[in-house]
Amino acid sequence: MGKPAILLMKDIYYPIVAALGVLVNLVTIAILSRRNCGLSKCISVYIVAMATADLLVMIINVIMYRIFTYQFPFSFLSYTPVCSVILYLCTVTFDLSVWFTVSFTFDRFVAVCFQKFKTRYCSAKTAGVVITVFCFLSFLKNILFLFAYEPQQIINKVQWGCRARVDFFSSPLGTAWVWFHSVWLVWLPFTLIVSFNCSTIGRILVANRIRRKLRGNRSENRSDSEMENRRKSIILLFTVSGCFILLWLTAAVSFVATRLTNTNYYRGDLTAPGYIATETGTCLKFLSCIQNPCIYVVTQRKFREELKNVLKSLWARILKLVGKCG
């Protein structure tokens, strides 16, 4: 009997997502490190941090865990202690990817809505501190996951694989912890992002109306550089946060649905709707880690120009190398 459709899909999907995710995030980091995209240092720090977190998600969550651990079940990565650490790092990297997005959204919220506080908060130094704090919190908060898994099988006294400890996840502490983790990773970020964005767009619209009135609705509005910069900021901010919410929504809803109905999708039928919804949500979450570079290409002219320069430089080096080898 062949594999279920969902497993066949994952066998094809994860290698493609991993290749694209590693490539686009490495290119994004390289481009932004050149500091020629016209972005402020503060914004650049956040975007580089987001790209780095997304790159780690691709390497640890997709390549190490979703591909190598499953395709090579008796490799070094499948030793239970190593597998537990990988699962712990999977949670940490997703945490960082999510909360760096929230931090970026909050930074833009402060920049628009609190002009006096903006000069102190919206700086590269503050961004570095915020990123460091979230790194520390994520590593500390998820330590419990190191003890939440047990060996899947023991062969010649060697522990292989990881599976959720039923006694832990069915206990009141485990249940509370899983719900807290879901709220921290999904529902709280959703709420904060929507709240910050609503306040930001409201303030920008009010400021634009006042500016138009002051300028007397003259034709000069068409070349108003400040309003054009605000428009670009809105597009970038809302595209990044909006796509994030859409791609995480399936995972969030399926988690709540399976928990409320006590569906055991981990050890049940691989064709069950609960399992398929959960795995589909997971696949979409990984897409969120390659969305941002695509958004930058679409919305940022200088980013596109830098991308062209990087690709031209890379192509020239390839031709030079081929010429030497020939």
Side-chain angles (χ1 to χ4, degrees):
M1 187 176 177
K3 280 186 176 182
I6 187 68
L7 296 185
L8 289 173
M9 184 273 290
K10 286 162 62 177
D11 288 343
I12 299 171
Y13 175 81
Y14 284 130
I16 294 175
V17 167
L20 286 175
V22 170
L23 177 62
V24 298
N25 284 299
L26 279 176
V27 170
T28 299
I29 294 169
I31 290 175
L32 292 175
S33 298
R34 296 158 64 105
R35 297 182 180 177
N36 294 325
C37 292
L39 299 172
S40 69
K41 290 183 179 179
C42 177
I43 293 177
S44 296
V45 169
Y46 279 116
I47 293 180
V48 168
M50 291 159 62
T52 303
D54 291 341
L55 178 62
L56 291 175
V57 169
M58 289 294 110
I59 293 173
I60 297 174
N61 295 48
V62 181
I63 297 175
M64 292 178 66
Y65 183 65
R66 299 281 170 176
I67 297 177
F68 284 114
T69 301
Y70 280 95
Q71 297 298 331
F72 306 99
F74 293 102
S75 67
F76 170 75
L77 297 177
S78 295
Y79 287 131
T80 299
V82 178
C83 179
S84 298
V85 173
I86 291 175
L87 285 168
Y88 165 70
L89 292 176
C90 285
T91 310
V92 170
T93 52
F94 255 139
D95 245 17
L96 296 179
S97 178
V98 169
W99 281 96
F100 287 168
T101 302
V102 176
S103 301
F104 170 66
T105 307
F106 179 72
D107 178 85
R108 295 300 85 201
F109 164 71
V110 171
V112 172
C113 299
F114 299 94
Q115 292 297 314
K116 293 182 179 179
F117 186 49
K118 170 185 174 181
T119 54
R120 285 185 295 170
Y121 184 83
C122 299
S123 65
K125 182 179 179 180
T126 301
V129 171
V130 170
I131 289 165
T132 302
V133 168
F134 274 115
C135 287
F136 175 76
L137 288 176
S138 294
F139 278 99
L140 183 65
K141 178 185 74 69
N142 293 298
I143 284 180
L144 200 60
F145 277 102
L146 288 171
F147 310 98
Y149 297 92
E150 62 184 5
Q152 200 163 20
Q153 54 184 323
I154 300 176
I155 302 175
N156 296 328
K157 298 183 179 180
V158 178
Q159 299 178 343
W160 294 97
C162 291
R163 67 181 179 187
R165 286 176 49 190
V166 177
D167 59 335
F168 172 78
F169 284 102
S170 60
S171 67
L173 173 63
T175 302
W177 170 250
V178 170
W179 277 104
F180 167 75
H181 179 69
S182 176
V183 170
W184 173 267
L185 192 61
V186 181
W187 298 109
L188 181 58
F190 276 17
T191 303
L192 293 176
I193 286 173
V194 171
S195 300
F196 294 150
N197 282 350
C198 288
S199 299
T200 301
I201 190 65
R203 179 60 63 92
I204 289 177
L205 291 175
V206 170
N208 284 351
R209 281 199 297 268
I210 294 173
R211 189 172 180 83
R212 286 195 189 96
K213 289 180 181 179
L214 291 175
R215 293 174 64 89
N217 257 341
R218 293 174 297 178
S219 60
E220 299 167 79
N221 284 332
R222 296 177 184 174
S223 58
D224 191 334
S225 59
E226 183 172 337
M227 291 182 67
E228 181 64 18
N229 289 335
R230 288 176 182 171
R231 185 184 70 82
K232 289 180 180 179
S233 296
I234 289 176
I235 291 173
L236 178 61
L237 174 63
F238 280 84
T239 310
V240 169
S241 53
C243 289
F244 166 80
I245 290 176
L246 288 175
L247 291 173
W248 274 79
L249 195 58
T250 300
V253 173
S254 64
F255 171 84
V256 172
T258 51
R259 285 289 164 180
L260 291 179
T261 57
N262 294 316
T263 304
N264 191 355
Y265 50 85
Y266 292 106
R267 295 171 182 162
D269 183 6
L270 296 184
T271 61
Y275 177 82
I276 293 175
T278 300
E279 292 302 307
T280 302
T282 301
C283 291
L284 291 175
K285 284 193 301 185
F286 290 126
L287 273 184
S288 70
C289 294
I290 63 176
Q291 68 170 15
N292 290 345
C294 301
I295 291 171
Y296 306 148
V297 169
V298 172
T299 62
Q300 302 293 307
R301 178 180 58 82
K302 290 187 176 181
F303 187 89
R304 290 195 298 272
E305 293 173 356
E306 283 299 303
L307 177 59
K308 290 177 183 177
N309 293 335
V310 168
L311 293 177
K312 287 178 181 177
S313 175
L314 181 60
W315 180 246
R317 291 183 181 182
I318 292 174
L319 291 178
K320 186 178 180 180
L321 182 62
V322 170
K324 287 182 178 180
C325 294

